[in-house]
Amino acid sequence: MAQFISDRRDIDFLLHEMLDTAGLAKKSEKFAEFNKKTIDLIVSEARNLAVKEILPTQKEGDEHGCVLENGKVTTPPSFKRLYDLFNEGEWLAMTEDPEWGGQGMPRTISSATMEYFNGANYPFMMYPGLTHGAGKLVEEFGTDEQKRVFLKKMYSGEWAGTMLLTEPGAGSDVGALTTTAKRNDDGTFSITGEKIFISGGEHDLTENIIHPVLARIEGAPEGTKGISLFLVPKFLVNEDGSLGEFNDVVCTGIEHKLGIHGNSTCSLALGSNGKCVGTLLGEENKGMKAMFVMMNEARLLVGFQGFACATASYMYAVNYAKQRIQGKNLLEMMDANAKAVPIIQHPDVRRQLLKMKALVEGMRSILYYVNYCADMAAIGKDEAERAKYQGLVEVLTPIAKGYVTDRAFEVCSQGMQIYGGYGFIEEYPMAQLLRDCRITMIYEGTNGIQAMDLLGRKLGMNKGKPIMDLFGEMQKTVAGAKEIPAIQAYAEKIEKALNKLGEVAMTMGQTAMSPKVLNAFANAHPFQDAAGDVAVAWMLLWRASISATKLEKAKAKDKPFYNGQIKSLQFFVETLLPMTMGNLAGLKTVSGAAVDIDEASFAG
Amino acid sequence: MAQFISDRRDIDFLLHEMLDTAGLAKKSEKFAEFNKKTIDLIVSEARNLAVKEILPTQKEGDEHGCVLENGKVTTPPSFKRLYDLFNEGEWLAMTEDPEWGGQGMPRTISSATMEYFNGANYPFMMYPGLTHGAGKLVEEFGTDEQKRVFLKKMYSGEWAGTMLLTEPGAGSDVGALTTTAKRNDDGTFSITGEKIFISGGEHDLTENIIHPVLARIEGAPEGTKGISLFLVPKFLVNEDGSLGEFNDVVCTGIEHKLGIHGNSTCSLALGSNGKCVGTLLGEENKGMKAMFVMMNEARLLVGFQGFACATASYMYAVNYAKQRIQGKNLLEMMDANAKAVPIIQHPDVRRQLLKMKALVEGMRSILYYVNYCADMAAIGKDEAERAKYQGLVEVLTPIAKGYVTDRAFEVCSQGMQIYGGYGFIEEYPMAQLLRDCRITMIYEGTNGIQAMDLLGRKLGMNKGKPIMDLFGEMQKTVAGAKEIPAIQAYAEKIEKALNKLGEVAMTMGQTAMSPKVLNAFANAHPFQDAAGDVAVAWMLLWRASISATKLEKAKAKDKPFYNGQIKSLQFFVETLLPMTMGNLAGLKTVSGAAVDIDEASFAG
């Protein structure tokens, strides 16, 4: 069977025609070796691994799921071999510091590898993904000793990592957590508490699992101000690096979930036998700050997870629509002898596919661009440039997570629709993609939390500089596109949307600072929708600008691709952007209906 | 645990304050005995059965599912007793002719019972629901002999019914079916073919299953014109009504589906041993016509199924949001001593709940109204009135199925979001509701097919009289509401939307008759979205008109309800209707992007 994870032509367009990834090599010594040829080789290798090794485990991961018996979690049978293979390829820390076993690659390149890997089996990819995130915490906040003991083994994948944050009474409100840390004489801490929804909290892929744990030191303040971060291994580590005693981290249950069955979602009891010991990671009471440093990257990863489901769903849907013969062409309806045609000829199917295409291309662009900005934030020519790109990462992160996963789920549902009745049957791929995708709207901060982050923190950050920088980048694209006759009219429509978004952002921001603050936050999510839509429009315009310019001299084989970029733009501007404009018009009223309604007016 | 199927207060509002269901008794002798007291008794009985007997089987139905072994399908253990109980209550044919065992009730009343039953476990309800539909075919098209042998046993539920339509190569395109009927000397037909996706095609609830089967008589024309309908029992029936030989209808497989696990979805082989016999139901080659007669009712039922999931999801979400304590009230964010509050106090949660509320109320109104129109089509005072109401049923059916189930799925997803991480766990009710709901967008004609029906058949039907009648009803409500100060401004906005919808309908209709016909059909689904939105706006305005008028003199306990009606209207007009206006503005261009794009421009 052909692979339908992702679209290499479009990935190459992003990496080389839109973002000049190879150009990063000229900008910094750090990335000097990553020229175009090397980049292409890396992407091809990732693609091979994804198609040949990861994809074949996707369905088994879903059907077998994870099993808890006597405190041990067994992952799907194919996962262990795959996990080792993945680590042999040294993919886990490809963007990290070579000093600790990383490959030092630009994050922009990892966009492509993340897309392939996650599209092939993202519940599996959560194990290395979480290990990477936990390792990053150790790298950023660990003492030399903590790094020496843990970091290389985590970046190599030999030991896995997790993140212990959520508790039954502390989800979105992390500050409510009750896990405690009691100071011991030797400087370590005894940890006691219950954590839930821990992805990869217990499994059989590695001999040790390293848990960064949020907890409150006895006597520390309530709320987020009293939270510290600890490093708690499943097995203690002896001086020589060998494994010591079991550290009293007990898996008490795993969840039966709608999707991501291949990843174990665990309840963990820490110190229920009084024997769980951790070391402080970073400063006392600064645990939340440490989390925030990691959050942008973690949220972007979730954006990639959702997107990877959407792009796979789109690829499958296109293929199915080309193969599936059903119904006459509408123009031949009256011809009794007309033959049934592939459903891609039916206008409603084409509309659905084009909607999926435009959204997938828009989402891919946003995600890769955020990674590009992260690279530029690291290697920019001066402090100002680095700060500018870091600001873009900040302001785009809620869109890359919240907006993208909202749209990704929509795309997965649309893909199911194209399969008709077959879409509902688990034998076909669409159901799993829909199920797996759904959690991305919830975890790592629900999309409502993302919208609050955008409105409450990101809009006003640094006196609004990041959002103004973002608008500046968008305006640049618009100005350029207005010079290109083939897309000028679309550019003008997007300019109007951009201006309107600016106005609404101002109104929303002001309302958020006024006594009507609740009204502002009641509209935060629709505002995020609008901002994301405009970001997609911007990206499609950027893509079409390049494509329209290249079209005339393009090789025959490239023309459908470039023409397709202009069609995505046309479709978005003609059919979806008007709804965005409507949404923006509605947002101007900053409706207070949801705030004013009496609780007793809801049913029940 | 409290029951969260549906909202009795709102159901009563529909039945008695909006639609004057009891007034039907005065309009026709046929409904004479269904006064308000009787209606309320029926609804209460349905509610009791739903809560006490049906709801407890919902989760087991999902988890156990159906099992195929040796050609026999076993349903979830609790279903057999429930099925018998349901039939003892004589609910299956409550709206049908007493001559054949029905109860002769108005369909408007059955709206409430359908809502309760389907909200409690709709995969179970599919067994009686399909039996009812099959019985209806026998009643409408059967010979006296067919009715004598089959009908009472079907309407009593003693024997079950199905509908054998889909084949591997004939889904949306029914005309492509290949099942054949060979004429026998005794006037019966030998049937041979393979059918798939047959809901309740085989199960252990009844001793016999009666299959209406679409097939082509040897020598009949190709396409839909050569399709006839046959009655094919699982077991032949002897002269005395006892069961005869097995009729060679073999279940060859059941599907593993995303949802509705409690209902068996079967592949059936007919006549693979050459021994399957059926009798013609209705006229030769008029099978499609017979199907169409049944289709409105079947599609409305699917609308109810999707809606029932949505209303349950809304009820659970409201309850959860009142119980779940998480995070401070936004106004107390800066107060270190502030306590965490129920999440219903958070503006984004309220917005989600109010969106769900407005949509659920709008959908409920549409569905009940269609049933009311069906009653009026039967008992209207003269031919003109009956035809008018039948026209309203026709034009509203694609909205009641297509639009309602699209929105219902959205509501179910929103409900899951309110549960946060718990929404993704199968232990809680939201995942099943989302999964079960999803098929309603696909079966009984995908929602794309509904949109084509609306644009291609219903708009132009009878020279546009039904759609003009619908607009007329909407205008009446608008005119009345403009006289009520509290909602006048909303009425004016809805009037604008209605006028715009009229304009767009004209443009779309004209385009559909032009060489740009494909462009029109590429926009059929967004047009259905807009028409459905306007229908919801109309219904919310109607509700608010009644509520605003009653508010002053209302009892204290009713005030939150009536106020809530005005809030639903305000919310819809301020936040959702602007997007509808945007959609309508986009539709005016009748974008051809999806039609013009080169197939090679799609990925893959």
Side-chain angles (χ1 to χ4, degrees):
Chain A
M1 191 176 92
Q3 68 85 13
F4 298 108
I5 304 172
S6 198
D7 181 356
R8 180 65 186 265
R9 179 66 187 88
D10 202 54
I11 289 173
D12 287 342
F13 180 79
L14 248 299
L15 293 177
H16 300 310
E17 300 181 68
M18 218 169 141
L19 295 178
D20 189 22
T21 311
L24 292 170
K26 285 168 219 130
K27 290 196 168 86
S28 165
E29 187 54 36
K30 191 179 164 195
F31 295 145
E33 57 181 297
F34 298 101
N35 58 26
K36 180 164 184 309
K37 203 173 153 187
T38 306
I39 294 170
D40 291 342
L41 206 68
I42 294 166
V43 177
S44 293
E45 270 192 49
R47 185 185 173 287
N48 278 344
L49 183 66
V51 173
K52 292 186 188 152
E53 303 290 349
I54 305 179
L55 190 59
T57 68
Q58 187 177 33
K59 206 168 170 50
E60 187 209 80
D62 186 55
E63 289 175 353
H64 183 284
C66 296
V67 180
L68 171 67
E69 254 175 7
N70 306 323
K72 305 269 180 209
V73 172
T74 314
T75 56
S78 59
F79 277 22
K80 172 64 180 157
R81 175 188 163 271
L82 179 61
Y83 184 79
D84 294 342
L85 203 64
F86 187 82
N87 291 330
E88 273 169 37
E90 300 184 322
W91 293 104
L92 190 145
M94 59 180 281
T95 57
E96 302 314 322
D97 193 337
E99 187 189 343
W100 300 106
Q103 306 292 309
M105 289 183 202
R107 283 178 50 178
T108 314
I109 304 178
S110 77
S111 306
T113 60
M114 283 162 86
E115 179 174 342
Y116 273 119
F117 296 152
N118 282 297
N121 186 356
Y122 107 66
F124 165 78
M125 281 303 296
M126 290 173 72
Y127 297 106
L130 285 156
T131 303
H132 173 242
K136 193 89 180 169
L137 280 172
V138 176
E139 185 181 349
E140 293 268 340
F141 301 101
T143 59
D144 288 349
E145 176 66 7
Q146 284 171 324
K147 285 195 238 186
R148 185 188 65 76
V149 175
F150 296 106
L151 195 49
K152 279 200 179 174
K153 292 203 168 170
M154 293 173 80
Y155 276 170
S156 68
E158 188 179 336
W159 293 348
T162 65
M163 183 62 231
L164 271 57
L165 193 149
T166 303
E167 301 179 5
S172 297
D173 181 13
V174 184
L177 64 77
T178 61
T179 296
T180 57
K182 188 177 167 183
R183 207 181 301 269
N184 298 325
D185 293 340
D186 63 356
T188 64
F189 290 79
S190 292
I191 312 286
T192 317
E194 310 269 343
K195 296 285 183 178
I196 61 166
F197 295 167
I198 306 306
S199 300
E202 172 62 31
H203 58 73
D204 55 359
L205 298 176
T206 55
E207 56 171 22
N208 205 0
I209 302 175
I210 313 304
H211 306 289
V213 178
L214 287 185
R216 198 182 309 278
I217 297 174
E218 282 187 332
E222 282 188 25
T224 53
K225 285 177 186 166
I227 293 177
S228 303
L229 185 60
F230 298 88
L231 212 53
V232 178
K234 176 177 163 185
F235 289 100
L236 295 172
V237 181
N238 299 322
E239 188 55 29
D240 64 355
S242 63
L243 294 192
E245 273 181 57
F246 177 65
N247 195 25
D248 198 9
V249 181
V250 177
C251 179
T252 55
I254 61 174
E255 306 291 349
H256 175 44
K257 308 180 299 282
L258 176 65
I260 60 168
H261 297 162
N263 197 276
S264 59
T265 304
C266 305
S267 302
L268 296 179
L270 293 91
S272 50
N273 302 304
K275 292 192 173 169
C276 178
V277 174
T279 53
L280 188 69
L281 186 59
E283 294 176 54
E284 276 185 31
N285 299 340
K286 295 284 168 64
M288 283 306 289
K289 206 183 126 199
M291 289 313 303
F292 269 105
V293 171
M294 294 300 91
M295 215 164 259
N296 284 337
E297 212 171 320
R299 290 180 170 178
L300 187 65
L301 174 59
V302 173
F304 265 101
Q305 293 170 342
F307 163 71
C309 296
T311 180
S313 184
Y314 167 61
M315 302 286 289
Y316 279 114
V318 170
N319 179 66
Y320 183 80
K322 286 178 178 171
Q323 308 286 329
R324 170 76 176 163
I325 311 289
Q326 187 78 179
K328 295 175 188 174
N329 186 304
L330 212 56
L331 296 176
E332 298 174 347
M333 251 342 177
M334 296 301 144
D335 177 0
N337 298 317
K339 291 268 170 271
V341 297
I343 62 170
I344 198 169
Q345 291 190 25
H346 300 321
D348 183 56
V349 172
R350 288 175 97 85
R351 178 192 60 82
Q352 295 182 68
L353 290 173
L354 187 47
K355 183 176 176 184
M356 295 171 83
K357 175 181 190 289
L359 290 175
V360 162
E361 289 166 355
M363 292 191 277
R364 178 178 287 119
S365 310
I366 290 170
L367 295 172
Y368 281 48
Y369 182 73
V370 175
N371 264 335
Y372 181 83
C373 290
D375 283 331
M376 289 301 293
I379 67 160
K381 64 178 188 294
D382 52 30
E383 181 57 33
E385 190 174 75
R386 290 192 293 274
K388 175 189 158 176
Y389 279 104
Q390 184 56 36
L392 288 172
V393 170
E394 298 285 346
V395 77
L396 282 168
T397 294
I399 292 170
K401 195 281 182 182
Y403 174 82
V404 163
T405 60
D406 279 349
R407 284 294 203 182
F409 183 68
E410 233 182 289
V411 168
C412 289
S413 182
Q414 194 92 77
M416 173 170 285
Q417 198 68 13
I418 287 176
Y419 269 62
Y422 296 98
F424 199 67
I425 309 294
E426 292 282 1
E427 193 183 334
Y428 296 82
M430 308 315 262
Q432 185 185 352
L433 292 172
L434 184 85
R435 290 188 286 98
D436 286 352
C437 186
R438 186 59 184 79
I439 189 62
T440 63
M441 295 161 70
I442 297 173
Y443 65 15
E444 207 56 43
T446 65
N447 288 357
I449 298 278
Q450 306 301 318
M452 289 180 68
D453 179 48
L454 179 63
L455 174 62
R457 295 182 61 243
K458 302 300 172 64
L459 274 193
M461 185 177 248
N462 295 342
K463 298 183 182 162
K465 189 171 178 307
I467 187 78
M468 293 316 296
D469 282 341
L470 177 63
F471 282 174
E473 293 298 314
M474 290 175 168
Q475 273 151 357
K476 255 189 263 175
T477 306
V478 168
K482 281 166 75 178
E483 303 298 317
I484 304 169
I487 57 173
Q488 183 193 356
Y490 308 130
E492 283 166 2
K493 290 253 168 81
I494 292 172
E495 187 171 35
K496 271 188 199 157
L498 184 51
N499 292 339
K500 196 81 194 166
L501 179 66
E503 263 177 52
V504 169
M506 193 73 82
T507 307
M508 292 283 289
Q510 284 163 349
T511 312
M513 310 286 281
S514 79
K516 298 239 174 208
V517 52
L518 295 181
N519 293 15
F521 280 95
N523 289 277
H525 205 141
F527 175 72
Q528 179 172 270
D529 296 340
D533 282 349
V534 172
V536 166
W538 164 44
M539 289 299 181
L540 296 180
L541 187 64
W542 184 352
R543 288 164 159 267
S545 300
I546 296 167
S547 301
T549 311
K550 289 188 171 183
L551 196 49
E552 206 188 328
K553 293 186 180 167
K555 291 176 193 155
K557 75 171 176 58
D558 280 328
K559 288 200 175 187
F561 177 83
Y562 290 130
N563 273 318
Q565 296 303 311
I566 299 172
K567 283 291 167 221
S568 293
L569 173 67
Q570 182 193 346
F571 177 81
F572 194 90
V573 170
E574 289 181 349
T575 73
L576 300 180
L577 196 63
M579 283 193 266
T580 311
M581 294 301 281
N583 185 16
L584 286 165
L587 282 166
K588 280 286 274 184
T589 69
V590 199
S591 174
V595 174
D596 298 338
I597 185 175
D598 188 346
E599 239 177 76
S601 294
F602 290 109
Chain B
M1 193 176 89
Q3 69 83 15
F4 297 109
I5 304 170
S6 198
D7 181 355
R8 180 65 187 264
R9 179 66 187 89
D10 202 53
I11 289 174
D12 287 341
F13 179 78
L14 249 299
L15 292 178
H16 301 308
E17 301 180 66
M18 217 168 142
L19 295 178
D20 189 22
T21 311
L24 292 168
K26 285 166 221 134
K27 291 196 168 84
S28 167
E29 189 53 36
K30 190 178 164 197
F31 295 146
E33 56 182 297
F34 299 101
N35 58 23
K36 180 165 185 304
K37 202 174 155 189
T38 306
I39 295 170
D40 290 342
L41 205 67
I42 294 166
V43 177
S44 293
E45 269 193 49
R47 185 185 174 286
N48 278 344
L49 182 66
V51 173
K52 291 187 187 150
E53 303 290 348
I54 306 180
L55 189 59
T57 68
Q58 186 177 33
K59 204 167 173 51
E60 188 209 81
D62 185 56
E63 288 176 353
H64 183 283
C66 296
V67 180
L68 171 68
E69 253 175 9
N70 305 322
K72 305 268 180 212
V73 171
T74 313
T75 55
S78 59
F79 276 23
K80 173 63 180 157
R81 175 186 163 274
L82 179 61
Y83 184 80
D84 293 342
L85 202 64
F86 187 82
N87 292 329
E88 274 169 35
E90 300 183 321
W91 294 104
L92 190 145
M94 58 180 281
T95 58
E96 302 315 323
D97 194 336
E99 188 189 343
W100 299 108
Q103 305 292 309
M105 291 184 203
R107 282 179 51 178
T108 313
I109 304 178
S110 77
S111 305
T113 61
M114 284 163 86
E115 177 173 343
Y116 274 118
F117 296 154
N118 282 295
N121 185 356
Y122 108 65
F124 165 79
M125 281 304 297
M126 292 172 71
Y127 297 106
L130 285 155
T131 303
H132 173 243
K136 193 89 182 169
L137 280 171
V138 176
E139 184 182 349
E140 294 268 339
F141 301 101
T143 60
D144 288 347
E145 175 66 6
Q146 284 172 322
K147 284 194 240 186
R148 185 189 63 78
V149 174
F150 297 105
L151 194 49
K152 279 200 180 175
K153 291 203 169 171
M154 293 173 80
Y155 275 170
S156 68
E158 188 179 337
W159 294 347
T162 65
M163 184 61 233
L164 272 55
L165 194 149
T166 304
E167 299 179 4
S172 296
D173 182 12
V174 183
L177 63 79
T178 62
T179 296
T180 58
K182 189 177 167 184
R183 208 180 302 268
N184 299 325
D185 293 341
D186 63 356
T188 64
F189 291 81
S190 292
I191 312 287
T192 318
E194 311 268 343
K195 296 284 182 179
I196 60 166
F197 295 166
I198 306 307
S199 299
E202 173 61 29
H203 57 74
D204 55 359
L205 299 177
T206 54
E207 55 172 22
N208 205 1
I209 302 175
I210 313 305
H211 307 287
V213 178
L214 287 184
R216 199 181 309 279
I217 297 174
E218 281 186 335
E222 283 188 23
T224 52
K225 285 177 189 168
I227 293 178
S228 304
L229 185 60
F230 298 88
L231 212 52
V232 178
K234 176 177 164 186
F235 289 99
L236 294 172
V237 182
N238 299 323
E239 190 57 28
D240 64 355
S242 64
L243 295 192
E245 271 182 58
F246 178 65
N247 195 24
D248 199 10
V249 180
V250 176
C251 179
T252 56
I254 60 173
E255 305 292 349
H256 175 47
K257 308 181 298 284
L258 176 64
I260 57 166
H261 297 163
N263 198 274
S264 59
T265 305
C266 305
S267 302
L268 297 180
L270 292 91
S272 49
N273 302 304
K275 295 194 172 168
C276 178
V277 173
T279 52
L280 188 67
L281 186 59
E283 293 176 55
E284 276 186 30
N285 298 340
K286 296 281 169 66
M288 284 306 288
K289 205 184 126 199
M291 290 311 305
F292 270 105
V293 171
M294 292 301 92
M295 215 165 259
N296 284 337
E297 212 172 319
R299 288 179 172 178
L300 186 66
L301 173 59
V302 174
F304 266 100
Q305 293 171 340
F307 163 71
C309 297
T311 180
S313 185
Y314 166 62
M315 301 287 289
Y316 280 114
V318 170
N319 180 65
Y320 184 80
K322 286 178 178 171
Q323 307 287 329
R324 170 76 174 162
I325 311 289
Q326 188 77 179
K328 296 176 187 172
N329 185 303
L330 213 57
L331 296 175
E332 298 173 346
M333 251 344 178
M334 294 303 143
D335 176 0
N337 297 317
K339 292 268 168 274
V341 297
I343 62 172
I344 199 170
Q345 291 191 26
H346 300 321
D348 184 55
V349 171
R350 288 176 97 84
R351 178 193 60 82
Q352 295 181 69
L353 290 174
L354 187 48
K355 184 176 177 185
M356 296 171 82
K357 174 180 189 291
L359 291 174
V360 161
E361 288 166 354
M363 293 191 276
R364 177 178 289 120
S365 311
I366 291 171
L367 294 171
Y368 281 48
Y369 182 73
V370 176
N371 265 334
Y372 181 82
C373 290
D375 283 331
M376 290 301 293
I379 66 159
K381 65 177 185 297
D382 54 28
E383 181 58 34
E385 189 175 75
R386 290 192 294 273
K388 176 189 158 176
Y389 280 104
Q390 183 56 37
L392 288 171
V393 170
E394 297 286 346
V395 77
L396 282 168
T397 293
I399 292 171
K401 195 279 184 184
Y403 174 82
V404 163
T405 60
D406 279 348
R407 284 295 202 180
F409 183 67
E410 234 182 289
V411 169
C412 289
S413 182
Q414 196 92 78
M416 174 171 285
Q417 197 69 14
I418 287 175
Y419 269 64
Y422 295 98
F424 198 66
I425 308 294
E426 293 281 1
E427 194 183 332
Y428 296 83
M430 309 314 263
Q432 185 184 352
L433 292 172
L434 184 86
R435 288 187 287 98
D436 286 352
C437 186
R438 187 59 185 80
I439 189 63
T440 63
M441 296 161 69
I442 296 173
Y443 64 13
E444 208 55 46
T446 65
N447 288 357
I449 298 277
Q450 305 302 319
M452 289 180 68
D453 179 48
L454 178 64
L455 174 62
R457 296 184 60 245
K458 303 300 173 65
L459 274 193
M461 186 177 247
N462 295 343
K463 299 184 181 161
K465 186 168 182 308
I467 186 80
M468 293 316 296
D469 283 341
L470 178 62
F471 283 174
E473 293 298 313
M474 290 175 168
Q475 273 151 357
K476 253 188 264 174
T477 306
V478 168
K482 280 164 76 177
E483 303 299 317
I484 304 170
I487 57 173
Q488 182 194 359
Y490 307 131
E492 283 166 3
K493 292 251 167 82
I494 292 171
E495 187 172 37
K496 274 189 197 156
L498 183 52
N499 292 338
K500 194 83 193 164
L501 178 66
E503 265 178 52
V504 168
M506 194 73 83
T507 308
M508 291 283 290
Q510 284 164 350
T511 311
M513 309 287 282
S514 79
K516 298 240 175 208
V517 53
L518 295 181
N519 293 15
F521 281 95
N523 290 277
H525 205 141
F527 175 72
Q528 178 171 272
D529 296 339
D533 282 349
V534 172
V536 167
W538 165 45
M539 290 297 180
L540 296 181
L541 187 65
W542 185 351
R543 287 166 160 267
S545 301
I546 297 168
S547 302
T549 310
K550 291 188 172 184
L551 196 49
E552 206 185 330
K553 293 186 181 166
K555 291 177 194 152
K557 75 172 178 53
D558 279 327
K559 288 200 174 188
F561 178 83
Y562 290 130
N563 272 318
Q565 295 304 311
I566 300 172
K567 283 291 165 218
S568 293
L569 173 67
Q570 181 193 348
F571 178 80
F572 195 90
V573 170
E574 288 181 348
T575 73
L576 300 180
L577 196 64
M579 283 193 266
T580 311
M581 293 302 281
N583 185 16
L584 286 166
L587 283 164
K588 279 286 274 182
T589 69
V590 200
S591 174
V595 173
D596 298 339
I597 185 174
D598 187 347
E599 238 177 77
S601 293
F602 290 109

